[in-house]
mmCIF file of all heavy atoms in Angstrom:
data_model
loop_
_atom_site.group_PDB
_atom_site.id
_atom_site.type_symbol
_atom_site.label_atom_id
_atom_site.label_comp_id
_atom_site.label_asym_id
_atom_site.label_seq_id
_atom_site.Cartn_x
_atom_site.Cartn_y
_atom_site.Cartn_z
ATOM 1 N N VAL H 29 10.694 -21.092 -8.963
ATOM 2 C CA VAL H 29 10.658 -20.305 -7.700
ATOM 3 C C VAL H 29 10.871 -21.226 -6.539
ATOM 4 O O VAL H 29 11.669 -20.905 -5.625
ATOM 5 C CB VAL H 29 9.299 -19.546 -7.518
ATOM 6 C CG1 VAL H 29 9.347 -18.777 -6.312
ATOM 7 C CG2 VAL H 29 9.173 -18.611 -8.749
ATOM 8 N N VAL H 32 14.225 -22.577 -5.789
ATOM 9 C CA VAL H 32 15.162 -21.575 -5.265
ATOM 10 C C VAL H 32 15.063 -21.377 -3.798
ATOM 11 O O VAL H 32 15.993 -21.571 -2.977
ATOM 12 C CB VAL H 32 14.774 -20.170 -5.892
ATOM 13 C CG1 VAL H 32 15.754 -19.229 -5.392
ATOM 14 C CG2 VAL H 32 14.844 -20.278 -7.404
ATOM 15 N N LEU H 33 13.859 -21.027 -3.315
ATOM 16 C CA LEU H 33 13.680 -20.774 -1.950
ATOM 17 C C LEU H 33 14.059 -21.951 -1.038
ATOM 18 O O LEU H 33 14.644 -21.766 -0.079
ATOM 19 C CB LEU H 33 12.230 -20.437 -1.766
ATOM 20 C CG LEU H 33 11.789 -18.983 -2.270
ATOM 21 C CD1 LEU H 33 10.341 -18.672 -1.952
ATOM 22 C CD2 LEU H 33 12.709 -17.984 -1.656
ATOM 23 N N GLU H 35 16.311 -23.840 -1.265
ATOM 24 C CA GLU H 35 17.746 -23.953 -1.128
ATOM 25 C C GLU H 35 18.313 -22.688 -0.548
ATOM 26 O O GLU H 35 19.294 -22.790 0.166
ATOM 27 C CB GLU H 35 18.456 -24.310 -2.347
ATOM 28 C CG GLU H 35 18.078 -25.678 -2.845
ATOM 29 C CD GLU H 35 18.583 -25.831 -4.333
ATOM 30 O OE1 GLU H 35 19.204 -24.985 -4.844
ATOM 31 O OE2 GLU H 35 18.344 -26.953 -4.877
ATOM 32 N N CYS H 36 17.775 -21.517 -0.951
ATOM 33 C CA CYS H 36 18.571 -20.309 -0.713
ATOM 34 C C CYS H 36 17.971 -19.416 0.400
ATOM 35 O O CYS H 36 18.651 -18.637 0.930
ATOM 36 C CB CYS H 36 18.579 -19.502 -2.064
ATOM 37 S SG CYS H 36 19.350 -20.458 -3.444
ATOM 38 N N SER H 37 16.750 -19.491 0.563
ATOM 39 C CA SER H 37 16.239 -18.490 1.483
ATOM 40 C C SER H 37 15.955 -19.004 2.985
ATOM 41 O O SER H 37 14.880 -18.799 3.482
ATOM 42 C CB SER H 37 14.925 -17.821 0.885
ATOM 43 O OG SER H 37 14.010 -18.824 0.508
ATOM 44 N N GLY H 38 16.944 -19.630 3.498
ATOM 45 C CA GLY H 38 16.753 -20.055 4.864
ATOM 46 C C GLY H 38 16.631 -21.551 5.023
ATOM 47 O O GLY H 38 16.632 -22.045 6.156
ATOM 48 N N CYS W 51 9.330 -7.579 7.530
ATOM 49 C CA CYS W 51 10.732 -7.442 7.061
ATOM 50 C C CYS W 51 10.905 -6.282 6.018
ATOM 51 O O CYS W 51 11.930 -6.100 5.343
ATOM 52 C CB CYS W 51 11.128 -8.778 6.253
ATOM 53 S SG CYS W 51 9.933 -9.095 4.912
ATOM 54 N N GLY W 52 9.867 -5.393 5.901
ATOM 55 C CA GLY W 52 9.990 -4.294 5.046
ATOM 56 C C GLY W 52 10.117 -4.523 3.569
ATOM 57 O O GLY W 52 10.476 -3.653 2.831
ATOM 58 N N LEU W 53 9.768 -5.711 3.074
ATOM 59 C CA LEU W 53 9.850 -6.066 1.735
ATOM 60 C C LEU W 53 8.521 -6.456 1.122
ATOM 61 O O LEU W 53 7.699 -7.195 1.874
ATOM 62 C CB LEU W 53 10.762 -7.362 1.644
ATOM 63 C CG LEU W 53 12.321 -7.025 1.929
ATOM 64 C CD1 LEU W 53 13.084 -8.297 1.853
ATOM 65 C CD2 LEU W 53 12.833 -6.008 0.920
ATOM 66 N N ALA W 54 8.199 -6.119 -0.105
ATOM 67 C CA ALA W 54 7.073 -6.550 -0.758
ATOM 68 C C ALA W 54 7.339 -7.926 -1.326
ATOM 69 O O ALA W 54 8.411 -8.291 -1.555
ATOM 70 C CB ALA W 54 6.638 -5.572 -1.867
ATOM 71 N N PRO W 55 6.208 -8.704 -1.614
ATOM 72 C CA PRO W 55 6.375 -9.961 -2.204
ATOM 73 C C PRO W 55 7.149 -10.015 -3.495
ATOM 74 O O PRO W 55 7.999 -10.861 -3.781
ATOM 75 C CB PRO W 55 5.009 -10.480 -2.543
ATOM 76 C CG PRO W 55 4.149 -9.661 -1.452
ATOM 77 C CD PRO W 55 4.823 -8.353 -1.268
ATOM 78 N N GLU W 56 7.080 -8.877 -4.338
ATOM 79 C CA GLU W 56 7.792 -8.735 -5.565
ATOM 80 C C GLU W 56 9.330 -8.562 -5.190
ATOM 81 O O GLU W 56 10.152 -9.068 -5.936
ATOM 82 C CB GLU W 56 7.293 -7.641 -6.429
ATOM 83 C CG GLU W 56 5.843 -7.493 -6.588
ATOM 84 C CD GLU W 56 5.100 -6.874 -5.393
ATOM 85 O OE1 GLU W 56 5.678 -5.953 -4.873
ATOM 86 O OE2 GLU W 56 4.109 -7.403 -4.952
ATOM 87 N N ASP W 57 9.636 -7.879 -4.102
ATOM 88 C CA ASP W 57 10.988 -7.677 -3.772
ATOM 89 C C ASP W 57 11.645 -9.027 -3.399
ATOM 90 O O ASP W 57 12.716 -9.267 -3.822
ATOM 91 C CB ASP W 57 11.144 -6.763 -2.545
ATOM 92 C CG ASP W 57 10.548 -5.350 -2.842
ATOM 93 O OD1 ASP W 57 10.591 -4.934 -4.057
ATOM 94 O OD2 ASP W 57 10.113 -4.720 -1.938
ATOM 95 N N ILE W 58 10.863 -9.758 -2.623
ATOM 96 C CA ILE W 58 11.364 -11.111 -2.319
ATOM 97 C C ILE W 58 11.527 -11.944 -3.491
ATOM 98 O O ILE W 58 12.605 -12.735 -3.599
ATOM 99 C CB ILE W 58 10.402 -11.730 -1.302
ATOM 100 C CG1 ILE W 58 10.237 -10.796 -0.036
ATOM 101 C CG2 ILE W 58 10.946 -13.119 -0.755
ATOM 102 C CD1 ILE W 58 9.246 -11.333 1.053
ATOM 103 N N GLU W 59 10.650 -11.801 -4.339
ATOM 104 C CA GLU W 59 10.699 -12.675 -5.601
ATOM 105 C C GLU W 59 12.048 -12.333 -6.272
ATOM 106 O O GLU W 59 12.732 -13.209 -6.775
ATOM 107 C CB GLU W 59 9.600 -12.320 -6.522
ATOM 108 C CG GLU W 59 9.636 -13.028 -7.916
ATOM 109 C CD GLU W 59 9.116 -14.486 -7.719
ATOM 110 O OE1 GLU W 59 8.640 -14.916 -6.742
ATOM 111 O OE2 GLU W 59 9.440 -15.181 -8.810
ATOM 112 N N LEU W 60 12.343 -11.016 -6.468
ATOM 113 C CA LEU W 60 13.616 -10.588 -7.080
ATOM 114 C C LEU W 60 14.794 -11.163 -6.326
ATOM 115 O O LEU W 60 15.730 -11.822 -7.034
ATOM 116 C CB LEU W 60 13.721 -9.044 -7.224
ATOM 117 C CG LEU W 60 15.094 -8.731 -7.745
ATOM 118 C CD1 LEU W 60 15.194 -9.115 -9.112
ATOM 119 C CD2 LEU W 60 15.418 -7.254 -7.494
ATOM 120 N N LEU W 61 14.896 -10.971 -5.091
ATOM 121 C CA LEU W 61 16.089 -11.435 -4.272
ATOM 122 C C LEU W 61 16.182 -13.025 -4.418
ATOM 123 O O LEU W 61 17.278 -13.413 -4.543
ATOM 124 C CB LEU W 61 15.847 -11.011 -2.819
ATOM 125 C CG LEU W 61 15.751 -9.544 -2.485
ATOM 126 C CD1 LEU W 61 15.659 -9.300 -1.007
ATOM 127 C CD2 LEU W 61 17.047 -8.886 -3.027
ATOM 128 N N THR W 62 15.093 -13.601 -4.544
ATOM 129 C CA THR W 62 15.030 -15.050 -4.683
ATOM 130 C C THR W 62 15.675 -15.375 -6.081
ATOM 131 O O THR W 62 16.584 -16.318 -6.116
ATOM 132 C CB THR W 62 13.642 -15.633 -4.590
ATOM 133 O OG1 THR W 62 13.173 -15.340 -3.426
ATOM 134 C CG2 THR W 62 13.761 -17.123 -4.797
ATOM 135 N N ARG W 63 15.234 -14.835 -7.127
ATOM 136 C CA ARG W 63 15.820 -15.100 -8.401
ATOM 137 C C ARG W 63 17.301 -14.786 -8.420
ATOM 138 O O ARG W 63 18.089 -15.541 -8.982
ATOM 139 C CB ARG W 63 15.197 -14.241 -9.511
ATOM 140 C CG ARG W 63 13.711 -14.360 -9.551
ATOM 141 C CD ARG W 63 13.260 -15.331 -10.604
ATOM 142 N NE ARG W 63 11.762 -15.432 -10.548
ATOM 143 C CZ ARG W 63 11.090 -16.119 -11.504
ATOM 144 N NH1 ARG W 63 11.731 -16.707 -12.540
ATOM 145 N NH2 ARG W 63 9.792 -16.186 -11.443
ATOM 146 N N LEU W 64 17.737 -13.692 -7.875
ATOM 147 C CA LEU W 64 19.199 -13.391 -7.813
ATOM 148 C C LEU W 64 19.923 -14.501 -7.018
ATOM 149 O O LEU W 64 20.986 -14.822 -7.434
ATOM 150 C CB LEU W 64 19.400 -12.069 -7.102
ATOM 151 C CG LEU W 64 18.935 -10.791 -7.909
ATOM 152 C CD1 LEU W 64 19.240 -9.591 -7.140
ATOM 153 C CD2 LEU W 64 19.624 -10.761 -9.326
ATOM 154 N N SER W 65 19.375 -14.852 -5.919
ATOM 155 C CA SER W 65 20.099 -15.941 -5.112
ATOM 156 C C SER W 65 20.194 -17.197 -5.787
ATOM 157 O O SER W 65 21.198 -17.963 -5.560
ATOM 158 C CB SER W 65 19.268 -16.069 -3.730
ATOM 159 O OG SER W 65 18.197 -16.958 -3.958
ATOM 160 N N GLU W 66 19.354 -17.455 -6.666
ATOM 161 C CA GLU W 66 19.504 -18.856 -7.375
ATOM 162 C C GLU W 66 20.339 -18.669 -8.611
ATOM 163 O O GLU W 66 20.698 -19.717 -9.224
ATOM 164 C CB GLU W 66 18.114 -19.384 -7.738
ATOM 165 C CG GLU W 66 17.611 -18.774 -9.044
ATOM 166 C CD GLU W 66 16.346 -19.479 -9.425
ATOM 167 O OE1 GLU W 66 16.201 -20.677 -9.377
ATOM 168 O OE2 GLU W 66 15.392 -18.784 -9.865
ATOM 169 N N ALA W 67 20.620 -17.378 -9.111
ATOM 170 C CA ALA W 67 21.312 -17.302 -10.421
ATOM 171 C C ALA W 67 22.850 -17.595 -10.187
ATOM 172 O O ALA W 67 23.288 -17.419 -9.182
ATOM 173 C CB ALA W 67 21.198 -15.912 -11.002
ATOM 174 N N GLU W 69 26.529 -16.873 -9.825
ATOM 175 C CA GLU W 69 27.223 -15.681 -9.286
ATOM 176 C C GLU W 69 26.181 -14.807 -8.507
ATOM 177 O O GLU W 69 26.603 -13.678 -8.256
ATOM 178 C CB GLU W 69 27.853 -14.860 -10.452
ATOM 179 C CG GLU W 69 28.599 -15.690 -11.444
ATOM 180 C CD GLU W 69 30.053 -15.705 -11.094
ATOM 181 O OE1 GLU W 69 30.524 -14.818 -10.417
ATOM 182 O OE2 GLU W 69 30.794 -16.567 -11.682
ATOM 183 N N GLN W 70 24.965 -15.315 -8.322
ATOM 184 C CA GLN W 70 24.007 -14.423 -7.672
ATOM 185 C C GLN W 70 23.805 -13.082 -8.328
ATOM 186 O O GLN W 70 23.740 -12.118 -7.624
ATOM 187 C CB GLN W 70 24.378 -14.342 -6.179
ATOM 188 C CG GLN W 70 24.471 -15.632 -5.458
ATOM 189 C CD GLN W 70 24.285 -15.518 -4.008
ATOM 190 O OE1 GLN W 70 24.656 -14.556 -3.402
ATOM 191 N NE2 GLN W 70 23.704 -16.569 -3.360
ATOM 192 N N ARG W 71 23.788 -13.120 -9.598
ATOM 193 C CA ARG W 71 23.524 -11.816 -10.331
ATOM 194 C C ARG W 71 22.855 -12.198 -11.689
ATOM 195 O O ARG W 71 22.855 -13.234 -12.196
ATOM 196 C CB ARG W 71 24.771 -11.126 -10.623
ATOM 197 C CG ARG W 71 25.696 -11.866 -11.549
ATOM 198 C CD ARG W 71 27.007 -11.332 -11.725
ATOM 199 N NE ARG W 71 27.714 -12.063 -12.771
ATOM 200 C CZ ARG W 71 29.028 -11.721 -13.166
ATOM 201 N NH1 ARG W 71 29.632 -10.803 -12.542
ATOM 202 N NH2 ARG W 71 29.518 -12.442 -14.143
ATOM 203 N N LEU W 72 22.112 -11.163 -12.168
ATOM 204 C CA LEU W 72 21.260 -11.294 -13.406
ATOM 205 C C LEU W 72 21.386 -10.070 -14.248
ATOM 206 O O LEU W 72 21.599 -8.858 -13.685
ATOM 207 C CB LEU W 72 19.786 -11.390 -12.882
ATOM 208 C CG LEU W 72 18.948 -12.694 -13.177
ATOM 209 C CD1 LEU W 72 19.774 -13.909 -13.136
ATOM 210 C CD2 LEU W 72 17.852 -12.670 -12.253
ATOM 211 N N VAL W 77 16.134 -9.692 -15.605
ATOM 212 C CA VAL W 77 15.354 -9.294 -14.503
ATOM 213 C C VAL W 77 13.991 -9.004 -14.938
ATOM 214 O O VAL W 77 12.996 -9.406 -14.519
ATOM 215 C CB VAL W 77 15.886 -8.041 -13.651
ATOM 216 C CG1 VAL W 77 14.934 -7.480 -12.728
ATOM 217 C CG2 VAL W 77 17.171 -8.463 -12.946
ATOM 218 N N SER W 80 12.259 -12.148 -16.285
ATOM 219 C CA SER W 80 11.804 -13.148 -15.325
ATOM 220 C C SER W 80 10.807 -12.729 -14.361
ATOM 221 O O SER W 80 10.023 -13.521 -13.789
ATOM 222 C CB SER W 80 13.073 -13.744 -14.565
ATOM 223 O OG SER W 80 13.315 -12.983 -13.487
ATOM 224 N N LEU W 81 10.650 -11.371 -14.217
ATOM 225 C CA LEU W 81 9.588 -10.894 -13.354
ATOM 226 C C LEU W 81 8.363 -10.392 -14.025
ATOM 227 O O LEU W 81 7.559 -9.716 -13.396
ATOM 228 C CB LEU W 81 10.217 -9.849 -12.387
ATOM 229 C CG LEU W 81 11.309 -10.216 -11.400
ATOM 230 C CD1 LEU W 81 11.434 -9.117 -10.335
ATOM 231 C CD2 LEU W 81 10.870 -11.552 -10.673
ATOM 232 N N LEU W 91 12.981 -1.048 -10.165
ATOM 233 C CA LEU W 91 13.024 -1.958 -9.121
ATOM 234 C C LEU W 91 14.383 -2.085 -8.629
ATOM 235 O O LEU W 91 14.633 -1.975 -7.264
ATOM 236 C CB LEU W 91 12.541 -3.299 -9.544
ATOM 237 C CG LEU W 91 12.679 -4.390 -8.729
ATOM 238 C CD1 LEU W 91 11.884 -4.240 -7.360
ATOM 239 C CD2 LEU W 91 12.145 -5.762 -9.271
ATOM 240 N N ILE W 92 15.414 -2.262 -9.403
ATOM 241 C CA ILE W 92 16.760 -2.270 -8.948
ATOM 242 C C ILE W 92 17.183 -1.018 -8.377
ATOM 243 O O ILE W 92 17.906 -1.023 -7.319
ATOM 244 C CB ILE W 92 17.712 -2.711 -10.117
ATOM 245 C CG1 ILE W 92 17.285 -3.994 -10.677
ATOM 246 C CG2 ILE W 92 19.071 -2.746 -9.726
ATOM 247 C CD1 ILE W 92 17.394 -5.188 -9.738
ATOM 248 N N ARG W 94 15.416 0.967 -6.495
ATOM 249 C CA ARG W 94 14.806 1.023 -5.064
ATOM 250 C C ARG W 94 15.635 -0.005 -4.208
ATOM 251 O O ARG W 94 16.024 0.542 -3.100
ATOM 252 C CB ARG W 94 13.502 0.635 -5.115
ATOM 253 C CG ARG W 94 12.467 1.559 -5.730
ATOM 254 C CD ARG W 94 11.070 1.222 -5.451
ATOM 255 N NE ARG W 94 10.565 0.016 -5.963
ATOM 256 C CZ ARG W 94 10.058 -0.229 -7.180
ATOM 257 N NH1 ARG W 94 9.911 0.922 -7.909
ATOM 258 N NH2 ARG W 94 9.650 -1.407 -7.531
ATOM 259 N N LEU W 95 15.910 -1.101 -4.710
ATOM 260 C CA LEU W 95 16.506 -2.055 -3.807
ATOM 261 C C LEU W 95 18.103 -1.716 -3.664
ATOM 262 O O LEU W 95 18.649 -2.032 -2.493
ATOM 263 C CB LEU W 95 16.420 -3.511 -4.392
ATOM 264 C CG LEU W 95 15.000 -3.989 -4.280
ATOM 265 C CD1 LEU W 95 14.801 -5.450 -4.744
ATOM 266 C CD2 LEU W 95 14.355 -3.859 -2.920
ATOM 267 N N ALA W 96 18.593 -1.091 -4.673
ATOM 268 C CA ALA W 96 20.036 -0.710 -4.565
ATOM 269 C C ALA W 96 20.161 0.424 -3.504
ATOM 270 O O ALA W 96 21.178 0.349 -2.755
ATOM 271 C CB ALA W 96 20.568 -0.250 -5.887
ATOM 272 N N ARG W 98 18.611 0.683 -0.961
ATOM 273 C CA ARG W 98 18.395 0.048 0.367
ATOM 274 C C ARG W 98 19.591 -0.884 0.708
ATOM 275 O O ARG W 98 19.644 -1.554 1.740
ATOM 276 C CB ARG W 98 17.083 -0.630 0.490
ATOM 277 C CG ARG W 98 15.931 0.220 0.361
ATOM 278 C CD ARG W 98 14.667 -0.501 0.305
ATOM 279 N NE ARG W 98 14.487 -1.350 1.508
ATOM 280 C CZ ARG W 98 13.517 -2.092 1.912
ATOM 281 N NH1 ARG W 98 12.453 -2.141 0.936
ATOM 282 N NH2 ARG W 98 13.523 -2.809 2.875
ATOM 283 N N GLY W 99 20.559 -0.999 -0.249
ATOM 284 C CA GLY W 99 21.750 -1.814 -0.028
ATOM 285 C C GLY W 99 21.484 -3.336 -0.236
ATOM 286 O O GLY W 99 22.407 -4.079 0.157
ATOM 287 N N LEU W 100 20.487 -3.744 -0.866
ATOM 288 C CA LEU W 100 20.147 -5.074 -0.939
ATOM 289 C C LEU W 100 20.685 -5.759 -2.300
ATOM 290 O O LEU W 100 20.888 -6.889 -2.372
ATOM 291 C CB LEU W 100 18.641 -5.444 -0.896
ATOM 292 C CG LEU W 100 18.006 -4.847 0.383
ATOM 293 C CD1 LEU W 100 16.492 -5.146 0.369
ATOM 294 C CD2 LEU W 100 18.662 -5.348 1.666
ATOM 295 N N VAL W 101 20.841 -4.846 -3.282
ATOM 296 C CA VAL W 101 21.473 -5.382 -4.533
ATOM 297 C C VAL W 101 22.453 -4.216 -5.000
ATOM 298 O O VAL W 101 22.420 -3.084 -4.479
ATOM 299 C CB VAL W 101 20.387 -5.564 -5.644
ATOM 300 C CG1 VAL W 101 19.347 -6.543 -5.141
ATOM 301 C CG2 VAL W 101 19.767 -4.159 -6.128
ATOM 302 N N GLU W 102 23.271 -4.638 -5.867
ATOM 303 C CA GLU W 102 24.153 -3.465 -6.494
ATOM 304 C C GLU W 102 24.294 -3.828 -7.915
ATOM 305 O O GLU W 102 24.230 -4.953 -8.355
ATOM 306 C CB GLU W 102 25.473 -3.487 -5.747
ATOM 307 C CG GLU W 102 26.368 -4.694 -5.762
ATOM 308 C CD GLU W 102 27.591 -4.602 -4.794
ATOM 309 O OE1 GLU W 102 27.770 -3.480 -4.196
ATOM 310 O OE2 GLU W 102 28.283 -5.534 -4.856
ATOM 311 N N ALA W 115 22.648 -6.929 -12.170
ATOM 312 C CA ALA W 115 22.157 -6.688 -10.806
ATOM 313 C C ALA W 115 22.644 -7.780 -9.929
ATOM 314 O O ALA W 115 22.295 -8.928 -10.170
ATOM 315 C CB ALA W 115 20.627 -6.649 -10.757
ATOM 316 N N SER W 116 23.367 -7.493 -8.785
ATOM 317 C CA SER W 116 23.865 -8.671 -7.979
ATOM 318 C C SER W 116 23.552 -8.510 -6.649
ATOM 319 O O SER W 116 23.305 -7.390 -6.041
ATOM 320 C CB SER W 116 25.397 -8.784 -8.210
ATOM 321 O OG SER W 116 26.042 -7.909 -7.427
ATOM 322 N N LEU W 117 23.280 -9.594 -5.972
ATOM 323 C CA LEU W 117 22.790 -9.620 -4.562
ATOM 324 C C LEU W 117 24.049 -9.185 -3.525
ATOM 325 O O LEU W 117 25.136 -9.691 -3.824
ATOM 326 C CB LEU W 117 22.496 -11.136 -4.265
ATOM 327 C CG LEU W 117 21.624 -11.430 -3.174
ATOM 328 C CD1 LEU W 117 20.223 -10.617 -3.204
ATOM 329 C CD2 LEU W 117 21.270 -12.900 -3.065
ATOM 330 N N THR W 118 23.746 -8.396 -2.694
ATOM 331 C CA THR W 118 24.829 -7.928 -1.724
ATOM 332 C C THR W 118 24.656 -8.968 -0.538
ATOM 333 O O THR W 118 23.724 -9.731 -0.462
ATOM 334 C CB THR W 118 24.628 -6.534 -1.329
ATOM 335 O OG1 THR W 118 23.390 -6.413 -0.541
ATOM 336 C CG2 THR W 118 24.627 -5.588 -2.433
ATOM 337 N N SER W 119 25.600 -8.775 0.370
ATOM 338 C CA SER W 119 25.446 -9.541 1.651
ATOM 339 C C SER W 119 24.216 -9.038 2.392
ATOM 340 O O SER W 119 23.496 -9.897 3.099
ATOM 341 C CB SER W 119 26.710 -9.451 2.477
ATOM 342 O OG SER W 119 26.980 -8.134 2.811
ATOM 343 N N GLY W 120 23.963 -7.856 2.358
ATOM 344 C CA GLY W 120 22.722 -7.362 3.013
ATOM 345 C C GLY W 120 21.477 -7.952 2.387
ATOM 346 O O GLY W 120 20.482 -8.317 3.050
ATOM 347 N N GLY W 121 21.523 -8.095 1.012
ATOM 348 C CA GLY W 121 20.406 -8.728 0.319
ATOM 349 C C GLY W 121 20.191 -10.218 0.723
ATOM 350 O O GLY W 121 19.096 -10.720 1.006
ATOM 351 N N ARG W 122 21.380 -11.015 0.921
ATOM 352 C CA ARG W 122 21.207 -12.257 1.275
ATOM 353 C C ARG W 122 20.664 -12.379 2.758
ATOM 354 O O ARG W 122 19.795 -13.282 3.123
ATOM 355 C CB ARG W 122 22.683 -12.934 1.290
ATOM 356 C CG ARG W 122 23.029 -13.458 -0.031
ATOM 357 C CD ARG W 122 24.422 -14.196 0.105
ATOM 358 N NE ARG W 122 25.541 -13.262 0.272
ATOM 359 C CZ ARG W 122 26.149 -12.625 -0.772
ATOM 360 N NH1 ARG W 122 25.772 -12.871 -1.964
ATOM 361 N NH2 ARG W 122 27.096 -11.827 -0.449
ATOM 362 N N GLU W 123 21.115 -11.491 3.579
ATOM 363 C CA GLU W 123 20.617 -11.452 4.921
ATOM 364 C C GLU W 123 19.089 -11.183 4.928
ATOM 365 O O GLU W 123 18.390 -11.879 5.723
ATOM 366 C CB GLU W 123 21.325 -10.316 5.713
ATOM 367 C CG GLU W 123 20.797 -10.021 7.087
ATOM 368 C CD GLU W 123 20.982 -11.306 8.043
ATOM 369 O OE1 GLU W 123 21.863 -12.142 7.675
ATOM 370 O OE2 GLU W 123 20.183 -11.443 8.929
ATOM 371 N N ALA W 124 18.720 -10.242 4.177
ATOM 372 C CA ALA W 124 17.219 -9.853 4.091
ATOM 373 C C ALA W 124 16.424 -11.047 3.629
ATOM 374 O O ALA W 124 15.369 -11.391 4.197
ATOM 375 C CB ALA W 124 16.975 -8.769 3.218
ATOM 376 N N LEU W 125 16.988 -11.742 2.624
ATOM 377 C CA LEU W 125 16.214 -12.920 2.070
ATOM 378 C C LEU W 125 16.166 -14.041 3.091
ATOM 379 O O LEU W 125 15.125 -14.767 3.259
ATOM 380 C CB LEU W 125 16.978 -13.286 0.886
ATOM 381 C CG LEU W 125 16.311 -14.478 0.124
ATOM 382 C CD1 LEU W 125 14.913 -14.190 -0.339
ATOM 383 C CD2 LEU W 125 17.117 -14.868 -1.185
ATOM 384 N N ARG W 126 17.272 -14.153 3.983
ATOM 385 C CA ARG W 126 17.182 -15.205 4.932
ATOM 386 C C ARG W 126 16.074 -14.981 5.953
ATOM 387 O O ARG W 126 15.417 -15.859 6.524
ATOM 388 C CB ARG W 126 18.599 -15.226 5.755
ATOM 389 C CG ARG W 126 19.472 -16.492 5.455
ATOM 390 C CD ARG W 126 20.572 -16.633 6.475
ATOM 391 N NE ARG W 126 21.413 -15.393 6.511
ATOM 392 C CZ ARG W 126 22.309 -15.128 5.647
ATOM 393 N NH1 ARG W 126 22.659 -15.982 4.691
ATOM 394 N NH2 ARG W 126 23.078 -14.066 5.703
ATOM 395 N N GLU W 127 15.843 -13.674 6.211
ATOM 396 C CA GLU W 127 14.700 -13.440 7.166
ATOM 397 C C GLU W 127 13.433 -13.527 6.553
ATOM 398 O O GLU W 127 12.421 -13.994 7.082
ATOM 399 C CB GLU W 127 14.869 -11.929 7.740
ATOM 400 C CG GLU W 127 16.030 -11.884 8.638
ATOM 401 C CD GLU W 127 16.232 -10.438 9.118
ATOM 402 O OE1 GLU W 127 15.228 -9.606 9.063
ATOM 403 O OE2 GLU W 127 17.356 -10.055 9.533
ATOM 404 N N ALA W 128 13.288 -12.979 5.256
ATOM 405 C CA ALA W 128 12.002 -12.858 4.579
ATOM 406 C C ALA W 128 11.490 -14.326 4.084
ATOM 407 O O ALA W 128 10.251 -14.530 3.983
ATOM 408 C CB ALA W 128 12.055 -11.978 3.431
ATOM 409 N N GLY W 129 12.433 -15.150 3.672
ATOM 410 C CA GLY W 129 11.977 -16.406 3.155
ATOM 411 C C GLY W 129 10.977 -17.224 4.052
ATOM 412 O O GLY W 129 9.933 -17.587 3.587
ATOM 413 N N LEU W 132 7.685 -15.512 4.166
ATOM 414 C CA LEU W 132 6.895 -15.768 2.967
ATOM 415 C C LEU W 132 6.209 -17.138 2.914
ATOM 416 O O LEU W 132 5.036 -17.304 2.573
ATOM 417 C CB LEU W 132 7.782 -15.480 1.750
ATOM 418 C CG LEU W 132 7.201 -15.726 0.337
ATOM 419 C CD1 LEU W 132 6.029 -14.770 0.152
ATOM 420 C CD2 LEU W 132 8.144 -15.696 -0.762
#
Side-chain angles (χ1 to χ4, degrees):
Chain H
V29 176
V32 180
L33 286 183
E35 296 168 358
C36 301
S37 48
Chain W
C51 60
L53 293 172
E56 310 82 41
D57 298 334
I58 303 180
E59 176 78 11
L60 172 71
L61 296 181
T62 300
R63 303 264 177 170
L64 290 180
S65 77
E66 83 172 318
E69 314 263 343
Q70 302 206 325
R71 65 186 189 184
L72 244 33
V77 170
S80 86
L81 294 194
L91 172 60
I92 298 299
R94 289 193 297 270
L95 295 183
R98 301 177 51 182
L100 306 181
V101 305
E102 60 187 1
S116 81
L117 202 55
T118 65
S119 59
R122 275 184 290 272
E123 174 62 25
L125 186 54
R126 250 192 306 278
E127 293 177 20
L132 176 66

